[in-house]
Amino acid sequence: MIAADKLTRTFGNIRKKSAVDAISFEVDRGEVFGFLGHNGAGKTTMVRMLTGQLRPTSGRGTVCGFDIVRQRNHIYPRIGVVFDQQNLYPRMSGLENLRFFADLFGAPVGRAEALLDLVGLKNRAQDRVKTYSNGMKQRLLIARALLNRPQVLFLDEPSRGLDPTSAREVRTVIQELAGEGVTVFLTTHIMEEADMLCSRVAFIREGRLVALDTPERFKLQYGRKQALVRLRPESATSGEMDTVEISIEKPEDAARLTDWIQQGRVETIHSLEASLEEVFIRLAGKPEE
């Protein structure tokens, strides 16, 4: 559904700087693909190129099989875009916002009501958007991006500035859309969000692709094959709990764990696999000052 072949975008006339530097990847139908990087790493520039808003300096890209430069007009009806700025009409209700854009897209009026239900705003449909929380506005933006039944949905930092509850609601909507076969291109610097949502993630640093794989493979590759076992005291009077680090590959440690379980001493077991955030910092480093 999305293909980038050495896509590059430079800015500046004298001292040229590459915001995106020869990046290549492909995204399948129904996949949630994470494009991850620090602020200023080139995430938004990539989205702007793929959605036909910014012409690449070099390289080639396609969305839904159409060239992002020569066939932009064929791409627009097939995509939805949610940028990190909440550009809604605050004095209009949520329903009025959607009906206005439905008219622009030539979408049926009933589509607006159905989408408000999808994103959990049906009960606030008649309220002015200026009374909405950030999370509600973000869900309304997603609903607006779905008016034309897009095959590909581009989400640029969809959880930025949201509280944990609102962020969870937005993620739930994204998961439901992917389950229905919508391809989602997600940019974020929130590693927990990417780990929860994405089937594959690309790490970007200073406009360059430094790694691409599934979150699971990244964590297994860079994690430690060990576990922390928290043990209850052998007797009620023998003091505090012990924490023991064991290998998950050594037979002798497996035997120790079995004995502790049979004795009823195991309180908790925690894997020491790396988090996606730890892997990202290791591969993409810290942001430039």
Side-chain angles (χ1 to χ4, degrees), residues 88 93-95 116 121 124-137 140:
L88 296 161
S93 70
L95 181 58
L116 285 171
L121 292 175
R124 297 292 301 273
Q126 303 297 336
D127 295 343
R128 291 188 178 186
V129 169
K130 68 180 181 180
T131 68
Y132 284 14
S133 66
N134 279 338
M136 293 169 65
K137 291 176 183 177
L140 184 62

Side-chain angles (χ1 to χ4, degrees), residues 140-202:
L140 184 62
L141 284 169
I142 293 175
R144 190 180 72 185
L146 296 173
L147 282 166
N148 59 328
R149 299 184 184 274
Q151 299 173 45
V152 180
L153 179 63
F154 290 90
L155 299 175
D156 193 8
E157 302 282 1
S159 296
R160 176 180 289 179
L162 300 187
D163 61 79
T165 300
S166 298
R168 177 179 291 182
E169 291 170 346
V170 168
R171 291 167 189 158
T172 298
V173 173
I174 295 171
Q175 288 171 328
E176 291 174 352
L177 292 171
E180 295 172 1
V182 177
T183 302
V184 180
F185 187 92
L186 170 72
T187 77
T188 183
H189 62 276
I190 303 174
M191 297 300 118
E192 180 186 5
E193 178 171 80
D195 197 2
M196 292 172 57
L197 293 174
C198 299
S199 53
R200 288 187 303 145
V201 294

Side-chain angles (χ1 to χ4, degrees), residues 94-108:
L95 181 58
E96 288 170 338
N97 266 270
L98 291 194
R99 283 180 171 172
F100 175 75
F101 282 95
D103 185 55
L104 294 178
F105 291 140

